[in-house]
Amino acid sequence: MRTTEALVDARSAMEICNACRYCEGYCAVFPAMELRRTFSNGDLSYLANLCHNCRGCYYSCQYAPPHEFQINLPKTFAELRAETYEEYAWPRPLARLFHRNGLVVSLITAIGIALIMIGTMLLQSNDVLFARHQGEGAFYAVIPHNVMVALGGATFGYAIIALIMGFLNFWRDAGGKMAELKPQSLRQAFADALTLRYLGGSKGEGCAYPDEAFSNARRVYHHFMFYGFMLAFAATAVATIYDYVFGWVAPYGYFSLPVILGTLGGIGLLIGPAGLLWLKAKSDKTPAPASLMGMDVAFLVLLFMTSLTGLVLLAFRETAAMGILLAIHLGFVLSLFVVLPYSKFVHGLYRTGALLRHAMERKH
Amino acid sequence: MVDLAKTYDVLVVGGGNAALCAAITAREKGASVLILEHAPKPFRGGNSRHTRNLRCMHTEPTEVLTEAYLEEEYWDDLMRVTNGVTDERLARMAIRGSNGVGRWMEARGVRFQPSLGGTLNLSRTNAFFLGGGKALVNAYYATAERLGVEVLYETEVLDLEIDKGVFQWATVSCQGGEPVKVRAKTVVAASGGFQANLEWLKEYWGEAADNFIIRGTPYNKGRMLRNLLDKGATPVGDPRQCHAVAIDARAPQFDGGIVTRLDCVPFSIVVDKNAQRFYDEGEDFWPKRYAIWGRLVAQQPDQIAYAIIDSKAVTLFMPSVFPAVQADSIGELAAKLGLDTQALENTVAQYNAAVRPGNFDNSILDNCATEGLTPPKTHWARRIDEAPYYAYPLRPGITFTYLGVKVDEQARVVMEGGKPAKNIFATGEIMAGNVLGKGYLAGLGMTIGTVFGRIAGEEAAKNANH
């Protein structure tokens, strides 16, 4: 991690926190901090990504503004985290996509949808596009199977590669060593990540979000979103197996496994992002950098819209609107894949990496 | 809404732990309660903001406390630090009242955590607040407001009208505005000591007080304390005494809190502004000695001292807020500190020559000591000879003052002639001197504030209802 203003701020904050330690019980950041007396740039990147922004420390801090020490750890770490996303982005020249990320994500999505729409219209005559298609292969009558596979495969494949490269950049910089990896550390890290342990407070009372009172609302909405995402992903995986292994061609029945998984996932992806946006709107803005609002909001809206267009497609797939609805939904899905490595999505990867690093270094 | 025209059942002066415990208790007993807090909201809570634990009697291990800490041991600890300058009845009330008080606190929003890193010595006796004292204060304010306790911030009580030992009304100023009268049936004084009042400290310390740093809130000016004493409250505690530790001289004048403390003294030599040592740095374990070092530094010229270590010692103590002054030679270090180069080199050389071989072990009172040196260093004495060298400047950091008002078992303020005031109660630092007349016991202040806060709140509510 390069030295920036946010990094220097984070270092001086950590030096004050390390002399205080009152917040030790809130999350993993403080025990990790206590293993150090000095903080390298990589250490600070690690700690910033370990921070879940639960804000417990902010409201408890006797050094929070207006105190002259001006300790506002959630804000300081959020600023630094955003810089780490840029720092580790792959390939390097695309790091700048994290500047004004809200705008970037919105533009890519708009362009993505437009391209798919235009492409579909070029590919198909209006008669085909606005006809009712039913039964096996109905979607592929509008957008041919091989086109869909090529587009989906290319964008998703690219996202996976870029995300892995970004993760490795983070992992190396945060001082992680694969050789020291033990199964119990992996288990611990995944358990902490999948349960959002550090948004749960010390005894399950939740975190200080959207305001000072502790609540589990954020954790619950995030679970809706994350597990919704995973269900939607599972739906796609099952459908792929249906298609390639069994030769069963989409669309599948309303009570088929891919549709049930996709519908449940889609509902999660409506409730989760909507809830998180609602909490964000009414949250205390003091412990958050205003400059990062765009990145957070754009990604939540993108997830919400991807899900919404998918569910609308499901509802109207047997009507003449299917062609256009399919093109719109595909536009959102492909845009989502393209922006994944350059969006708020990366926080999950680096957070899990930081939890793994923490599981490896802490005393068992 | 706060209505200054009405007569409240209980008026609470102050907004820290003791005040909040009194206010919540009184409100739970059905009283109407108004809290007057001098500080603005972000700095509410007095010195409780800076605390982190309370000393708790317990008969068996709890979620956050190990083993047991029984009444007699607690009492013995108190006797040891106060040399008997305590009121045994009140002290035992505080001790017994702390037994199980954690449940009362948790029911009102306070959360606990196991003892913090670097404080293992307190894991048996002291229950730590999750997030520290400000989190506790926040939880109590939230509870108080939910119960309907009314709060005015930036409101200073200028005067209590007391007629023949009976409180009538308070004269207060909101946000520096014109004084107004607030009427209440009872008043609870929970407004702390006077340690942030440098003029008052100067009465006992002279100009030296200009070089004192106040570790906590700047709002503890002692106005209520002086007012009560002027109106006939019986004083308790030595007015000249204050609890002072050696803290980093670069700390802010007020509110530096915990992070300005320095734990390096036992591994250092400490010199005054003339680069001369003045006390045995290795006399005993630091938790048993840090409380004398504030006074020691206060007695040195210009109330300044410097702890000097070498690179062997640099990781042996808790990190502190400001980086050490660093140099590759003692001479260079002296120059950076503004000390006489020759004098510091001589002091270090004499010390190094007096260090006898031993087995260094900072977990015990080891056998590393000086020989033929005045003053000696009796433990953890190792030569200061491995560059780079480090120094921390020290000044007296005032934590609290001992002077207070005498109270009885109902937390009523005892007036001239030994008669308790009918409707004037006191809790927290303003009466802590009844129990802790001398010395210091970690977490006892919060215990006294909590236990007597609850008593004061209950008695005030009872009194108001009659």
Side-chain angles (χ1 to χ4, degrees):
Chain A
M1 182 64 208
R2 66 199 186 284
T3 302
T4 63
E5 203 177 312
L7 186 122
V8 172
D9 285 350
R11 180 171 289 136
S12 44
M14 277 291 94
E15 282 164 357
I16 292 174
C17 294
N18 206 16
C20 172
R21 302 187 174 187
Y22 282 16
C23 293
E24 198 177 276
Y26 278 122
C27 71
V29 168
F30 300 97
M33 167 192 82
E34 289 176 22
L35 297 175
R36 299 163 167 78
R37 288 183 81 92
T38 56
F39 301 92
S40 70
N41 290 10
D43 287 339
L44 291 164
S45 169
Y46 155 53
L47 293 170
N49 279 290
L50 192 54
C51 166
H52 287 53
N53 189 23
C54 81
R55 304 176 165 197
C57 66
Y58 169 74
Y59 293 106
S60 297
C61 183
Q62 71 262 46
Y63 304 115
H67 191 282
E68 64 189 88
F69 287 171
Q70 297 278 324
I71 297 296
N72 186 341
L73 220 46
K75 186 175 180 181
T76 305
F77 274 162
E79 280 166 352
L80 179 56
R81 262 199 311 277
E83 291 183 356
T84 67
Y85 300 161
E86 199 182 315
E87 176 83 8
Y88 306 130
W90 182 91
R92 278 299 296 169
L94 294 187
R96 73 186 59 165
L97 294 180
F98 277 106
H99 290 291
R100 307 186 68 187
N101 187 255
L103 184 64
V104 167
V105 167
S106 311
L107 279 178
I108 291 177
T109 309
I111 293 167
I113 295 166
L115 284 178
I116 298 296
M117 292 286 276
I118 293 164
T120 311
M121 286 175 176
L122 289 176
L123 219 57
Q124 306 290 4
S125 68
N126 281 357
D127 300 344
V128 178
L129 190 54
F130 294 106
R132 286 181 66 199
H133 301 276
Q134 284 180 313
E136 211 172 76
F139 296 144
Y140 308 128
V142 180
I143 298 173
H145 183 268
N146 54 359
V147 174
M148 222 187 278
V149 169
L151 286 173
T155 50
F156 189 65
Y158 173 79
I160 295 291
I161 292 168
L163 288 169
I164 290 174
M165 297 304 285
F167 179 82
L168 291 176
N169 286 340
F170 165 73
W171 184 251
R172 275 191 294 268
D173 198 28
K177 293 190 177 64
M178 290 296 184
E180 294 168 9
L181 196 57
K182 292 197 186 103
Q184 69 260 38
S185 305
L186 263 179
R187 269 201 302 278
Q188 182 70 56
F190 279 115
D192 292 348
L194 294 175
T195 60
L196 294 176
R197 177 178 169 192
Y198 295 110
L199 289 185
S202 63
K203 288 179 192 161
E205 68 274 20
C207 63
Y209 188 89
D211 59 25
E212 200 176 320
F214 283 70
S215 153
N216 272 303
R218 181 190 220 172
R219 192 186 192 193
V220 168
Y221 284 129
H222 196 289
H223 278 329
F224 269 110
M225 182 177 67
F226 176 78
Y227 289 102
F229 189 88
M230 294 314 279
L231 285 173
F233 187 74
T236 313
V238 171
T240 308
I241 293 168
Y242 275 18
D243 193 27
Y244 285 95
V245 178
F246 300 109
W248 301 336
V249 180
Y252 303 110
Y254 288 111
F255 297 101
S256 65
L257 189 56
V259 173
I260 290 174
L261 289 173
T263 306
L264 291 176
I267 292 168
L269 278 170
L270 290 182
I271 296 172
L276 290 172
L277 282 166
W278 173 62
L279 291 180
K280 188 173 280 295
K282 63 173 191 167
S283 68
D284 181 355
K285 304 295 184 293
T286 333
S291 56
L292 299 181
M293 196 68 157
M295 171 160 72
D296 295 0
V297 170
F299 190 64
L300 289 170
V301 171
L302 178 54
L303 282 176
F304 182 87
M305 289 308 296
T306 307
S307 169
L308 184 66
T309 55
L311 291 172
V312 171
L313 172 62
L314 179 67
F316 295 99
R317 69 184 187 183
E318 286 171 13
T319 72
M322 183 274 274
I324 292 294
L325 292 174
L326 176 66
I328 293 174
H329 180 56
L330 195 65
F332 271 108
V333 171
L334 297 179
S335 303
L336 177 65
F337 288 167
V338 170
V339 301
L340 276 187
Y342 314 106
S343 72
K344 176 76 188 226
F345 180 81
V346 298
H347 85 278
L349 222 53
Y350 300 159
R351 179 76 33 82
T352 310
L355 286 167
L356 181 58
R357 177 95 183 79
H358 181 57
M360 286 164 66
E361 75 173 5
R362 75 186 186 191
K363 291 178 211 118
H364 287 282
Chain B
M1 272 304 290
V2 177
D3 176 10
L4 292 183
K6 88 177 196 192
T7 299
Y8 284 88
D9 289 332
V10 181
L11 182 68
V12 177
V13 183
N17 170 58
L20 289 159
C21 287
I24 288 170
T25 306
R27 183 76 195 117
E28 285 175 344
K29 301 284 174 196
S32 61
V33 182
L34 176 64
I35 290 177
L36 301 178
E37 163 63 308
H38 186 187
K41 193 174 175 187
F43 291 113
R44 68 186 180 183
N47 276 350
S48 305
R49 290 169 22 83
H50 291 292
T51 65
R52 54 181 185 178
N53 59 42
L54 102 171
R55 184 167 287 255
C56 229
M57 169 188 162
H58 56 110
T59 53
E60 54 190 33
T62 74
E63 214 172 317
V64 294
L65 292 164
T66 59
E67 300 171 51
Y69 187 49
L70 303 178
E71 180 177 340
E72 283 316 305
E73 187 186 356
Y74 202 146
W75 169 249
D76 288 347
D77 284 342
L78 185 62
M79 285 300 281
R80 183 172 44 75
V81 300
T82 60
N83 291 326
V85 186
T86 183
D87 179 326
E88 182 165 355
R89 288 167 313 155
L90 297 179
R92 287 193 184 271
M93 280 175 75
I95 293 170
R96 288 173 199 150
S98 75
N99 188 11
V101 77
R103 282 190 296 279
W104 184 89
M105 296 167 72
E106 280 180 323
R108 283 146 194 86
V110 177
R111 285 183 290 267
F112 291 95
Q113 62 185 342
S115 71
L116 303 179
T119 62
L120 271 182
N121 56 313
L122 296 172
S123 63
R124 187 171 64 88
T125 53
N126 289 47
F128 281 73
F129 318 132
L130 177 63
K134 189 174 169 190
L136 170 136
V137 163
N138 289 343
Y140 279 155
Y141 271 105
T143 299
E145 279 162 25
R146 184 170 47 72
L147 292 170
V149 171
E150 291 164 29
V151 182
L152 277 181
Y153 296 106
E154 294 178 75
T155 301
E156 187 179 19
V157 178
L158 307 172
D159 183 56
L160 297 182
E161 178 64 23
I162 298 170
D163 183 26
K164 299 188 185 73
V166 181
F167 164 73
Q168 309 288 327
W169 68 78
T171 307
V172 315
S173 166
C174 301
Q175 298 179 335
E178 287 300 305
V180 290
K181 275 184 194 174
V182 180
R183 291 178 185 280
K185 293 180 189 167
T186 63
V187 65
V188 177
S191 47
F194 68 92
Q195 72 279 356
N197 188 332
L198 286 178
E199 293 307 311
W200 196 341
L201 289 175
K202 276 186 190 175
E203 287 181 25
Y204 313 114
W205 288 88
E207 294 308 307
D210 278 333
N211 288 323
F212 289 179
I213 294 169
I214 313 307
R215 302 180 69 201
T217 177
Y219 296 95
N220 280 10
K221 301 283 190 199
R223 190 155 196 159
M224 245 332 68
L225 175 59
R226 176 138 279 175
N227 196 257
L228 283 169
L229 293 174
D230 287 349
K231 305 214 164 174
T234 310
V236 70
D238 188 337
R240 292 162 302 176
Q241 297 302 320
C242 53
H243 179 264
V245 302
I247 62 168
D248 197 305
R250 297 162 291 183
Q253 174 76 62
F254 294 103
D255 253 342
I258 187 86
V259 299
T260 60
R261 80 190 176 309
L262 286 169
D263 297 343
C264 61
V265 168
F267 312 115
S268 74
I269 59 167
V270 178
V271 300
D272 63 13
K273 70 171 222 175
N274 300 314
Q276 303 304 312
R277 289 177 63 246
F278 52 86
Y279 198 82
D280 178 1
E281 300 89 350
E283 191 175 42
D284 204 341
F285 290 113
W286 189 235
K288 294 185 178 177
R289 277 295 165 270
Y290 66 81
I292 69 166
W293 275 86
R295 170 170 305 274
L296 285 170
V297 175
Q299 288 162 347
Q300 304 315 310
D302 292 346
Q303 295 71 51
I304 185 92
Y306 304 90
I308 291 163
I309 58 173
D310 70 0
S311 51
K312 288 194 291 293
V314 83
T315 58
L316 295 176
F317 50 91
M318 278 277 288
S320 62
V321 61
F322 301 108
V325 178
Q326 188 180 337
D328 290 325
S329 70
I330 294 296
E332 189 193 336
L333 193 65
K336 284 189 174 171
L337 297 173
L339 298 177
D340 185 281
T341 307
Q342 193 61 52
L344 187 63
E345 282 174 350
N346 286 348
T347 298
V348 173
Q350 279 167 19
Y351 164 78
N352 283 346
V355 170
R356 288 293 154 255
N359 300 316
F360 178 83
D361 184 348
N362 62 349
S363 65
I364 56 166
L365 292 169
D366 72 3
N367 62 353
C368 292
T370 58
E371 198 175 281
L373 188 68
T374 311
K377 184 173 177 186
T378 49
H379 303 98
W380 311 299
R382 289 190 294 179
R383 295 160 69 93
I384 295 177
D385 57 4
E386 280 179 26
Y389 302 96
Y390 302 89
Y392 292 95
L394 306 173
R395 282 214 188 275
I398 313 300
T399 319
F400 60 85
T401 45
Y402 289 94
L403 177 66
V405 294
K406 191 170 169 61
V407 297
D408 70 1
E409 283 112 322
Q410 279 96 54
R412 290 180 299 187
V413 174
V414 176
M415 306 301 281
E416 277 168 319
K419 202 169 164 242
K422 186 173 156 282
N423 61 349
I424 307 171
F425 303 84
T427 177
E429 285 303 318
I430 200 170
M431 52 65 71
N434 288 275
V435 176
L436 190 74
K438 202 178 150 188
Y440 172 70
L441 199 55
L444 182 63
M446 290 299 276
T447 304
I448 296 170
T450 305
V451 173
F452 282 94
R454 291 178 64 189
I455 294 170
E458 183 164 349
E459 295 296 329
K462 228 188 270 176
N463 185 291
N465 289 336
H466 285 159

